[in-house]
Amino acid sequence: MNIAVRCENLIKTYDTGGQKVTALNSVNLEIRLAELIMLVGPSGCGKTTLISVIAGILDQDAGLCELFGENLLTMKSKDKLRFRASQIGFVFQAFNLLPSLNAAENVSVPLIINGEKRGVAQKKAIDVLERVGLGERWKSFPSQLSGGQQQRVAIARALIHSPRLIVCDEPTSALDHASGHNIMNLLKEVAVDENRALVIVTHDSRIFNFADRMAEMDDGHIVKISEPLRTA
């Protein structure tokens, strides 16, 4: 079995006004290649902290987190940035689109960071926007797009550089039922057919049956890992 992510006894605490809050409490998790795993649970249970540690945005206080056999915690800053830029695609809940760039330019950013020429990057960006149903809006700026359209631009940006790990924080929160299912079908195809791993944090029960496995979190722990019930 190929493992994309291995977390062992992860601990992460925050200091909030002199009081320590434990966000991750001895978390153990393996994420396989070619699977879609969802992290579910109540708000504040540690889901976003966990994906932030996995993606190298946050450093854990203790424990091990390996990505494709690499320990990001021991990497030099420039090596970690390079690794994340090539290996990870991240869909933020707040989209994090740059307001001064149009849709294609926003989607192009990961390719530009990785050294792609601007013209080639823009052509690839338009192709990916076509895949998420926004090919005709590639010149539009974020302020000219609805929340759901901005969500799809953010997803296209996460896909464009063919990362081996895709991490999504509430990717369907701003989408209607049909659009949400279309995006999940695309993400599922990318994760399984292209031998990547896909991690999704979600409260959206409408998409639970897209998961291969579900990891339920509560109070900083993973309390259960299961396969979702399939509906006809």
Side-chain angles (χ1 to χ4, degrees):
M1 181 192 308
N2 291 324
I3 302 298
V5 179
R6 187 190 311 276
C7 300
E8 295 180 358
N9 298 315
L10 283 186
I11 294 175
K12 179 66 180 177
T13 59
Y14 297 107
D15 192 337
T16 58
Q19 182 177 1
K20 287 199 172 184
V21 176
T22 301
L24 299 178
N25 192 351
S26 298
V27 168
N28 293 283
L29 178 67
E30 286 187 346
I31 299 170
R32 305 162 186 160
L33 284 170
E35 82 163 341
L36 190 165
I37 187 168
M38 290 186 183
L39 300 180
V40 300
S43 296
C45 70
K47 302 185 301 297
T48 298
T49 298
L50 178 55
I51 61 171
S52 297
V53 169
I54 288 172
I57 295 172
L58 291 176
D59 290 338
Q60 69 269 30
D61 298 323
L64 174 70
C65 184
E66 288 185 341
L67 220 63
F68 309 113
E70 299 285 346
N71 185 347
L72 270 62
L73 194 62
T74 62
M75 284 185 181
K76 295 179 180 178
S77 295
K78 63 178 182 179
D79 294 331
K80 181 190 287 190
L81 288 172
R82 190 180 300 116
F83 183 88
R84 288 177 54 207
S86 63
Q87 300 294 324
I88 303 171
F90 208 115
V91 181
F92 298 92
Q93 188 172 3
F95 312 145
N96 288 7
L97 302 179
L98 299 173
S100 61
L101 302 183
N102 65 32
E105 290 167 337
N106 265 287
V107 174
S108 299
V109 166
L111 293 181
I112 301 297
I113 290 173
N114 286 320
E116 189 72 83
K117 292 182 178 179
R118 195 169 299 274
V120 175
Q122 178 165 293
K123 184 178 183 303
K124 290 181 179 179
I126 295 170
D127 290 342
V128 178
L129 285 168
E130 289 277 2
R131 293 184 68 188
V132 299
L134 286 177
E136 295 181 355
R137 301 299 304 271
W138 70 270
K139 292 183 179 179
S140 299
F141 290 89
S143 61
Q144 300 170 319
L145 300 172
S146 68
Q149 290 170 330
Q150 290 182 54
Q151 184 83 296
R152 283 184 273 168
V153 173
I155 289 169
R157 182 182 57 192
L159 298 177
I160 192 167
H161 57 302
S162 301
R164 296 178 69 195
L165 176 68
I166 301 167
V167 182
C168 304
D169 195 359
E170 302 284 0
T172 60
S173 61
L175 303 178
D176 58 40
H177 182 80
S179 297
H181 273 240
N182 288 339
I183 288 297
M184 287 307 303
N185 279 321
L186 172 61
L187 289 172
K188 181 84 171 181
E189 175 188 339
V190 166
V192 175
D193 291 356
E194 299 186 29
N195 204 38
R196 300 187 180 116
L198 176 57
V199 187
I200 293 178
V201 167
T202 186
H203 289 96
D204 188 352
S205 60
R206 301 173 302 175
I207 66 171
F208 284 177
N209 64 346
F210 283 93
D212 297 306
R213 292 188 300 151
M214 299 180 68
E216 298 178 33
M217 294 191 69
D218 194 18
D219 199 23
H221 297 275
I222 290 179
V223 295
K224 182 182 179 183
I225 298 179
S226 60
E227 294 183 4
L229 294 174
R230 304 296 179 185
T231 57

